[in-house]
Amino acid sequence: MSAISTMTEGLDARTTGQRLVNQWLASLGTARERGQPVAYVFVMGNAIEILRAFGFEMVFPEINSLQTGVRKAAPDFIAQAEDFGFSPDVCSYVKADVGLMLSNMQHPSGVQMPVPDLAVASSLCNVYIKWAEIWERRFGTPAFVLDIPGKRFATWKSPAGSPQHLADARWVEGQFRDLIARCEQITGKKFDSDRLAEVEAHVNEMIRLWIEILAFNQHRPAPYNSMLDGLTYMGVLNAWRGTLEGVEYMRLLHAEIAGKVARGEGRVPHERFRLVFSGTPCYVNMRRLIELFESHGGVFAASDYLTYAAGGLDSAGLFYDTSRPLESLAEVTTLASQMGLSNHFFSHHALAQQMKDFAADGIVYHGIKSCRTVATSMADNREYVTTKHGMPTLYIESDLIDPRYWSDAQIKNRVDAFFELLEQRRNLQSIQER
Amino acid sequence: MEYVAGIDVGSTQAKGVILDERGNLVSKAIIDMETNMGAAAEEIFQRVLASANLEASAIVFTVATGYGRYRVTFGDLQVTEISCHARGALAEFPWTRTVLDIGGQDTKAIRIGDSGEVIDFAMNDKCAAGTGRFLGAASFALEMPLSELGPLALQSTRPVRITTTCTVFAETEIIGHLAKGHLPEDVLMGMHHSIATRCASLVRRVGLAPEVTFSGGVSRNQAMVVLLQEVLGVPLNVSAQAQFMGAIGAALYALDHVRAGRRPEHLVKEGAR
Amino acid sequence: MMNDVEVSTGGIDAADASMTLMAVLERCFELAMRTGVADQEQPGAIGYFPVYFPEEIVHAAGLRPHALLGGGNKLEVRLADARIGSFVCSICRSTTEQGLNRSLHGMKGFFTQPICDAAKHMAGIWGRNFPAQPSQILALPQNVNSSASVRYVYDEYQRLRSVLAAQVGHDIPDAAIRASLHVYNENRRLQRELYRIRRDDPARLSTVETYLLVRAGTRVRREEHNQLLRDALRLLAERPVRPRDKPRVIFLGGFCEQPPLEMIETIEDACFIVDDDLLIGQRWITEDIAADDGDPVWALAKSYVEHSASSPVQFDARKPKEEMLMRMLRDARAEAAIITAAKFCEPGLDDQLALSHRLDAEKVPYLVLEFEEKMTSFEQMAMQVETFAESLLFQ
């Protein structure tokens, strides 16, 4: 009997996905009671496969923080963090999490978040490491920093099996072995390579389906909005990664989207413009942001967010070799880092490619004031893409979860002007074609 | 003879123009904004009609622009002031391909194509530095009307470097420099330079393509014109009707629709949100 | 020029010694304040973004390592604002500006390290805008606590070696690297001596002077810098010193972005800064590297993992920031701390809070300041520092 079918009879994939995420959040609250060890992990670079093999319950502080935005609790948490002494310029996710700590771990979802037995902070975002240092001081949980070397320059090529790839993978594997030793210490269990292979097999299937789901949006009309529906799908991909439930969900989702494609059913009733999104959502005004675009018939067919915030495996196009689970984990993690996760710094080519693959009419850049990882060079990237490729682009700015940076009138103004620009462009092109 | 109207409801002023079916300017009007944008829009419409000696029924199409465009209840279409400024600038300066509009509250840089279509735009509307408001701080600190700031600044021989990037602290910095014995004109020129640099940065972001038109209320400040020309390295077009550029552009869009045979009843109305 | 830097003078014989010391310091000032790289510099300079870079490898290739330290408070940023968000530290902006205004046109390459997210972006910005200058991330690890760390750093250093070899058109032999290690070991010893004087005899050598002496080394070949430092140390020994009664403080700020000289002077007017982390990258390696035993690149990699200083931008489980702070206070026999961070510097701002909490707990007096490289007015800061110093003297 399917693990999720009983609870999701007749529900669409999006609603099912939301329920699954809520179910997972709720289970975090009872982890301690059930005697399960708890690990804090991040979406860009982690070792979930290893941690699942040891039976850890996974907490994603990034998801906790984005949920405070979605549930309108961020301002209070952020204010507590700033009162505590954090500079306003610090990442708003970190501040929301500090607010959670100062609120006795009582999360607005109703869950009492457990404190971690282990924190794995990857080097894909340096703030992860500073964040983990805060937990060290608050909870006494030593940080495990997982250094995953990324792309060194824009045209960096490190094909699977090349000496450079193997050198980097060897480094990552060495750290995985250290992590395994730490897990054995914490859980009292011995590392089970077969269990790791099992988890990896589930991830493989989830990723295989995810890659196809991402590609479905190349159809016209796009069956889902990558920056709205896509966020729920991705939430499940992260929270249930490597589980049977996760695989079943991706199958459900795949079937549903395939059906829409077959019926020519689009996300937007009258799709007028297809767009690529670069950056993160504004979680505190998620729906409103999308509505501003969809009201003009604009749909986000693709986004770089769905790659880097979902582990980046889709970019690597590789799957784990479950006959050599640990070595393969290191090799694939390294490739995912270099081809997907560290792309913020060199994303101009990838975005141009996405524009082509998805037959997009323009790129929307969403800059985040408190996130330097995503936004430092966005203006330069945009300038390059606009000039070199002649692509229409829009730059808007707000924050991940801090509502103080959302200015509805100003953002609407820019979005409206962008669509006027796209319309004018289309009119001119059709005149030229005559 | 048929007529069209363009209504620009900004944050500090409301402007209106009426064009005839051949695109000739028939009348224009400007008022300071009240708190009620809808009322201000009504009033500007009445004034511009009176000035043209026309009844409202003579206007076959009205386009509203500016931040308050959705409050113009009698508007047939809303178009952003970015598109309208581009259109208005091109109408007056047919060779212009970049527009810099510095208003009291915001600043925009727009790159336009040969038909007046917007190719790219960049705005500064969150931060007052780099907008007319920065000069407002100077006006307050020096106890001088805005209109006198430009002429005085032009007398400067040794401009002071202003480093503050926040309008809130601008007054303090100005007073500090005056206390040290710097001349008001030198401090003022420093402030103008600061604005010019920030605005030039916006222009570069969209790409500077000659000719460049400088519009908006601040374009009447001669010191800004001189400085911007220096910083951008190109001559600037400045319109005598700079304040009406948005409304004129709006009216031209209205005329487009009329000439294409589209009347208001053919449009699906987008309600104000 | 140097007028506002206080140099102790006095006595008849001292006049000559002071003038020569003055000449050395003036030379260092002139060098230190050079930000650009001349188009015609040969055989060439390789620019690197903060904090630490294995300069020995660049030196062995015959190239000059050029530390990118920002544009200071005299540079007008006009072109970079269109490229970089406003919520990013100024050194990213001013460095990009220097690229755009062509003052770094002579560079033969650009490197940055994963010290923070903004720094990683610099490689992308540089690569898009200046395609003629190879631009890369030297992927130094944020995990130096693994038994596999040295091997990884070694591999990355060998990669750097081959990139530079391609640049100069010939291999870089081990012998050349060994020779460079010797030069740099000497350089670090001389820098340690400067810091010893600051700690034991602070009236003899100011922090601004130390800063200029150290920073000058990023603008000339190390051999020349070693000579400058030797001269300076000799002359310092002869310098007549007027004892002053000022509180002893340490000054910490991460300092990828450099504080204006005026800021350091403002603090020194009221206090003796007896230790700091200014230009820590220049003395990152804390012990001599074994130049002659085995593989010199391995020795260099090993020193990064095992004998390095600490910074907000390098995670190291062996060096909790609070412990490093307390140790520095103790070793420098300082009674207070001045903590600062550059505006928008995320690692610096995060650490600042943790350090403040520990200082509160230990009841050590401290002052927190924010700075930007482009600050030009210091009256407010002077008032804060003076008040702070007074409170120390009255304890």
Side-chain angles (χ1 to χ4, degrees):
Chain A
M1 188 47 154
S2 153
I4 56 175
S5 64
T6 44
M7 77 176 243
T8 60
E9 288 277 333
L11 287 177
D12 63 287
R14 176 130 177 249
T15 314
T16 304
Q18 283 165 346
R19 289 209 180 180
L20 275 175
V21 170
N22 287 335
Q23 184 187 318
W24 157 71
L25 279 174
S27 75
L28 298 178
T30 58
R32 289 274 164 237
E33 280 165 41
R34 288 178 282 118
Q36 252 191 300
V38 172
Y40 277 16
V41 296
F42 294 99
V43 302
M44 293 199 296
N46 48 57
I48 286 183
E49 290 82 351
I50 292 175
L51 299 173
R52 245 193 235 296
F54 275 97
F56 276 91
E57 188 73 76
M58 240 67 67
V59 171
F60 284 85
E62 287 166 290
I63 297 183
N64 285 349
S65 290
L66 75 86
Q67 285 280 332
T68 69
V70 171
R71 294 167 195 263
K72 316 289 190 213
D76 176 55
F77 279 5
I78 290 173
Q80 287 187 58
E82 289 178 0
D83 287 344
F84 187 71
F86 280 92
S87 160
D89 300 324
V90 163
C91 166
S92 55
Y93 268 6
V94 172
K95 285 188 290 185
D97 193 56
V98 169
L100 176 65
M101 285 185 247
L102 293 170
S103 305
N104 200 26
M105 305 303 288
Q106 193 61 42
H107 191 258
S109 61
V111 177
Q112 175 104 22
M113 284 296 160
V115 300
D117 295 298
L118 173 68
V120 180
S122 88
S123 60
L124 269 308
C125 163
N126 286 64
V127 174
Y128 288 167
I129 298 170
K130 305 312 284 182
W131 199 343
E133 288 184 322
I134 296 172
W135 298 326
E136 280 186 328
R137 281 136 185 87
R138 184 78 184 176
F139 305 127
T141 311
F144 186 95
V145 172
L146 182 62
D147 184 85
I148 313 176
K151 247 185 183 146
R152 272 64 155 194
F153 46 86
T155 51
W156 174 263
K157 296 248 185 305
S158 166
S162 65
Q164 180 64 57
H165 171 233
L166 293 178
D168 285 342
R170 178 175 45 229
W171 166 225
V172 173
E173 189 184 321
Q175 294 173 84
F176 281 164
R177 290 185 191 281
D178 294 337
L179 178 63
I180 285 170
R182 183 86 69 95
C183 291
E184 288 180 338
Q185 227 176 20
I186 293 170
T187 63
K189 285 197 253 182
K190 273 253 143 294
F191 171 58
D192 182 351
S193 183
D194 291 338
R195 179 75 187 109
L196 176 62
E198 210 174 270
V199 172
E200 287 183 357
H202 292 323
V203 175
N204 280 348
E205 183 63 3
M206 289 176 78
I207 294 300
R208 185 188 70 74
L209 293 160
W210 178 242
I211 289 173
E212 288 185 20
I213 289 163
L214 290 174
F216 278 143
N217 250 15
Q218 290 180 13
H219 289 272
R220 237 187 245 270
Y224 64 90
N225 192 316
S226 70
M227 287 310 285
L228 193 58
D229 319 280
L231 302 179
T232 303
Y233 309 155
M234 193 184 77
V236 178
L237 190 63
N238 281 324
W240 293 90
R241 175 146 152 211
T243 64
L244 207 56
E245 290 89 339
V247 173
E248 286 183 19
Y249 178 73
M250 295 311 280
R251 288 195 180 131
L252 198 88
L253 175 61
H254 186 279
E256 183 183 288
I257 306 288
K260 289 192 180 184
V261 170
R263 292 188 301 275
E265 201 179 300
R267 156 77 197 179
V268 187
H270 303 290
E271 183 179 285
R272 284 196 53 71
F273 294 103
R274 299 163 62 81
L275 303 167
V276 168
F277 187 98
S278 178
T280 76
C282 172
Y283 280 106
V284 69
N285 286 293
M286 198 165 64
R287 255 165 250 281
R288 174 62 176 156
L289 178 61
I290 298 307
E291 184 184 77
L292 288 173
F293 288 90
E294 289 191 342
S295 65
H296 288 284
V299 68
F300 290 112
S303 78
D304 52 18
Y305 190 62
L306 289 190
T307 288
Y308 68 74
L313 255 67
D314 56 286
S315 65
L318 281 183
F319 301 95
Y320 297 124
D321 176 357
T322 53
S323 69
R324 340 162 15 246
L326 188 58
E327 295 79 4
S328 177
L329 184 68
E331 286 160 14
V332 172
T333 300
T334 306
L335 284 171
S337 160
Q338 295 180 1
M339 292 165 69
L341 304 179
S342 63
N343 235 345
H344 316 277
F345 316 114
F346 310 106
S347 63
H348 42 287
H349 295 313
L351 283 172
Q353 189 60 45
Q354 269 194 325
M355 282 280 287
K356 276 208 202 90
D357 293 343
F358 290 83
D361 301 296
I363 302 178
V364 176
Y365 289 92
H366 181 224
I368 300 296
K369 290 220 99 110
S370 66
C371 180
R372 275 151 285 270
T373 304
V374 161
T376 297
S377 67
M378 234 183 214
D380 183 69
N381 183 311
R382 178 190 178 213
E383 154 83 24
Y384 184 90
V385 165
T386 312
T387 317
K388 283 279 186 315
H389 299 281
M391 285 170 183
T393 63
L394 170 67
Y395 182 83
I396 51 175
E397 206 171 68
S398 73
D399 187 70
L400 287 158
I401 52 173
D402 192 336
R404 295 177 293 187
Y405 291 111
W406 177 270
S407 172
D408 201 276
Q410 287 169 359
I411 291 173
K412 177 164 172 55
N413 211 26
R414 285 166 160 99
V415 174
D416 287 350
F418 183 59
F419 279 99
E420 285 162 11
L421 184 162
L422 291 175
E423 289 283 357
Q424 287 164 9
R425 203 178 136 96
R426 184 172 278 179
N427 290 341
L428 273 177
Q429 279 168 348
S430 62
I431 290 169
Q432 282 159 7
E433 276 152 22
R434 284 202 216 113
Chain B
M1 179 65 83
E2 291 185 320
Y3 300 87
V4 294
I7 305 291
D8 180 357
V9 184
S11 39
T12 46
Q13 293 174 315
K15 294 141 270 194
V17 309
I18 293 177
L19 305 179
D20 68 22
E21 65 195 24
R22 292 196 207 100
N24 299 313
L25 182 71
V26 170
S27 68
K28 61 186 194 223
I30 180 168
I31 57 170
D32 285 334
M33 271 306 294
E34 307 146 27
T35 47
N36 187 331
M37 282 181 161
E42 279 289 346
E43 197 191 320
I44 198 71
F45 192 46
Q46 291 310 318
R47 288 211 191 188
V48 81
L49 282 169
S51 186
N53 212 5
L54 290 170
E55 298 291 329
S57 51
I59 312 294
V60 299
F61 208 111
T62 301
V63 168
T65 187
Y67 275 118
R69 64 189 179 281
Y70 288 103
R71 298 284 191 277
V72 181
T73 52
F74 53 90
D76 298 309
L77 187 66
Q78 295 79 31
V79 179
T80 65
E81 69 272 29
I82 291 144
S83 296
C84 288
H85 267 92
R87 209 49 208 292
L90 193 80
E92 183 158 352
F93 303 106
W95 298 107
T96 190
R97 294 297 177 265
T98 314
V99 178
L100 172 66
D101 175 89
I102 306 180
Q105 304 285 316
D106 66 27
T107 299
K108 2 182 188 320
I110 312 165
R111 194 145 60 79
I112 59 187
D114 297 341
S115 313
E117 78 276 17
V118 175
I119 294 177
D120 197 5
F121 66 92
M123 288 182 71
N124 165 27
D125 48 11
K126 285 219 182 67
C127 178
T131 71
R133 255 193 288 171
F134 211 52
L135 288 174
S139 161
F140 194 78
L142 294 166
E143 293 172 331
M144 286 175 62
L146 280 169
S147 52
E148 286 176 30
L149 297 183
L152 180 56
L154 283 171
Q155 292 175 28
S156 162
T157 50
R158 306 186 59 203
V160 171
R161 196 143 165 268
I162 305 289
T163 52
T164 191
T165 51
C166 185
T167 311
V168 173
F169 300 117
E171 270 175 55
T172 315
E173 187 168 352
I174 292 171
I175 291 168
H177 286 302
L178 292 173
K180 276 198 218 141
H182 289 292
L183 298 169
E185 54 266 34
D186 291 334
V187 178
L188 259 183
M189 198 48 155
M191 292 210 67
H192 281 75
H193 196 265
S194 195
I195 299 172
T197 313
R198 294 181 140 242
C199 294
S201 176
L202 267 186
V203 172
R204 288 193 195 96
R205 220 185 281 183
V206 303
L208 194 162
E211 299 169 356
V212 179
T213 299
F214 178 24
S215 78
V218 178
S219 67
R220 287 175 296 171
N221 180 318
Q222 199 47 34
M224 279 312 300
V225 176
V226 165
L227 271 177
L228 277 168
Q229 286 181 155
E230 198 180 285
V231 167
L232 290 171
V234 295
L236 298 177
N237 298 326
V238 181
S239 166
Q241 332 210 71
Q243 292 169 292
F244 293 96
M245 208 157 268
I248 291 172
L252 286 171
Y253 273 113
L255 201 54
D256 280 352
H257 283 275
V258 170
R259 285 180 177 160
R262 283 189 296 270
R263 297 290 155 139
E265 50 273 21
H266 299 145
L267 300 171
V268 174
K269 277 252 173 97
E270 187 183 49
R273 288 172 200 249
Chain C
M1 263 248 286
M2 289 278 290
N3 301 324
D4 41 354
V5 175
E6 188 182 83
V7 174
S8 302
T9 57
I12 310 158
D13 293 333
D16 273 332
S18 295
M19 266 165 50
T20 319
L21 177 61
M22 181 63 113
V24 171
L25 291 169
E26 279 184 8
R27 167 94 176 117
C28 287
F29 177 81
E30 189 269 317
L31 286 170
M33 292 304 130
R34 279 191 204 164
T35 49
V37 171
D39 276 7
Q40 58 275 39
E41 178 172 344
Q42 289 300 331
I46 299 287
Y48 70 89
F49 209 65
V51 169
Y52 168 76
F53 198 75
E55 287 196 15
E56 288 89 330
I57 301 177
V58 179
H59 184 266
L63 298 163
R64 181 177 70 81
H66 180 91
L68 293 164
L69 297 168
N73 61 4
K74 308 280 190 292
L75 175 74
E76 200 189 331
V77 174
R78 291 167 13 122
L79 307 164
D81 280 337
R83 302 274 200 259
I84 297 191
S86 55
F87 36 86
V88 178
C89 60
S90 180
I91 186 177
C92 289
R93 194 152 328 125
S94 63
T95 303
T96 303
E97 183 73 24
Q98 290 176 302
L100 293 166
N101 72 14
R102 296 182 57 95
S103 61
L104 292 174
H105 195 248
M107 268 175 16
K108 299 289 192 284
F110 172 88
F111 283 90
T112 182
Q113 287 70 248
I115 53 166
C116 73
D117 305 301
K120 290 185 283 199
H121 275 284
M122 289 301 293
I125 294 172
W126 213 265
R128 282 187 290 269
N129 288 284
F130 316 113
Q133 291 183 4
S135 153
Q136 296 198 10
I137 297 177
L138 178 72
L140 292 174
Q142 282 291 343
N143 179 4
V144 287
N145 303 124
S146 170
S147 55
S149 299
V150 178
R151 177 65 200 270
Y152 170 70
V153 175
Y154 173 78
D155 285 340
E156 191 65 6
Y157 281 0
Q158 292 288 42
R159 187 181 74 78
L160 172 66
R161 184 185 189 172
S162 58
V163 167
L164 294 173
Q167 184 72 35
V168 296
H170 60 78
D171 279 343
I172 306 167
D174 277 4
I177 298 178
R178 282 189 219 287
S180 300
L181 287 175
H182 280 297
V183 171
Y184 275 80
N185 279 343
E186 170 71 358
N187 189 266
R188 286 183 285 260
R189 257 181 256 136
L190 292 164
Q191 289 188 54
R192 286 197 289 273
E193 185 55 22
L194 289 175
Y195 272 80
R196 191 200 59 73
I197 297 173
R198 288 259 311 287
R199 189 189 62 226
D200 295 342
D201 195 359
R204 183 170 299 277
L205 172 65
S206 77
T207 304
V208 169
E209 290 166 343
T210 309
Y211 182 80
L212 295 173
L213 284 164
V214 172
R215 185 166 163 156
T218 67
R219 301 300 185 244
V220 289
R221 281 198 56 83
R222 280 295 157 181
E223 290 87 340
E224 187 185 332
H225 188 228
N226 283 350
Q227 190 54 51
L228 273 169
L229 293 182
R230 281 192 285 265
D231 288 341
L233 284 164
R234 181 177 44 84
L235 293 161
L236 280 166
E238 298 158 12
R239 182 193 229 179
V241 168
R242 191 176 3 119
R244 296 270 305 271
D245 188 18
K246 290 193 285 189
R248 295 169 65 95
V249 305
I250 60 173
F251 182 39
L252 292 177
F255 297 125
C256 302
E257 183 161 323
Q258 300 301 300
L261 287 181
E262 295 92 323
M263 177 177 182
I264 308 175
E265 282 169 2
T266 301
I267 298 172
E268 291 205 287
D269 280 345
C271 309
F272 281 130
I273 302 175
V274 289
D275 206 351
D276 59 62
D277 62 350
L278 290 161
L279 297 170
I280 192 83
Q282 298 302 307
R283 47 202 167 86
W284 188 252
I285 306 299
T286 52
E287 289 179 24
D288 282 358
I289 301 176
D292 302 316
D293 302 331
D295 187 335
V297 179
W298 185 269
L300 190 57
K302 193 152 184 257
S303 66
Y304 182 81
V305 174
E306 293 178 12
H307 301 296
S308 56
S310 68
S311 162
V313 301
Q314 174 68 56
F315 179 81
D316 190 333
R318 302 165 297 189
K319 300 171 192 165
K321 55 201 118 186
E322 296 89 342
E323 300 309 317
M324 304 310 288
L325 164 75
M326 296 312 295
R327 190 188 305 178
M328 189 190 260
L329 275 165
R330 236 181 5 246
D331 293 349
R333 301 185 307 277
E335 59 195 278
I338 298 185
I339 314 281
T340 186
K343 192 151 172 55
F344 300 118
C345 171
E346 185 126 26
L349 290 168
D350 286 329
D351 274 17
Q352 193 172 277
L353 191 60
L355 297 182
S356 306
H357 288 159
R358 174 65 148 232
L359 292 165
D360 283 333
E362 301 274 359
K363 302 210 184 347
V364 174
Y366 66 97
L367 175 65
V368 174
L369 300 171
E370 193 178 65
F371 80 95
E372 275 187 289
E373 64 177 352
K374 54 185 182 155
M375 292 169 73
T376 49
S377 112
F378 302 90
E379 286 88 25
Q380 268 229 328
M381 191 182 281
M383 201 169 56
Q384 285 180 279
V385 174
E386 275 168 39
T387 312
F388 177 63
E390 279 160 22
S391 71
L392 293 175
L393 288 171
F394 290 141
Q395 272 178 7

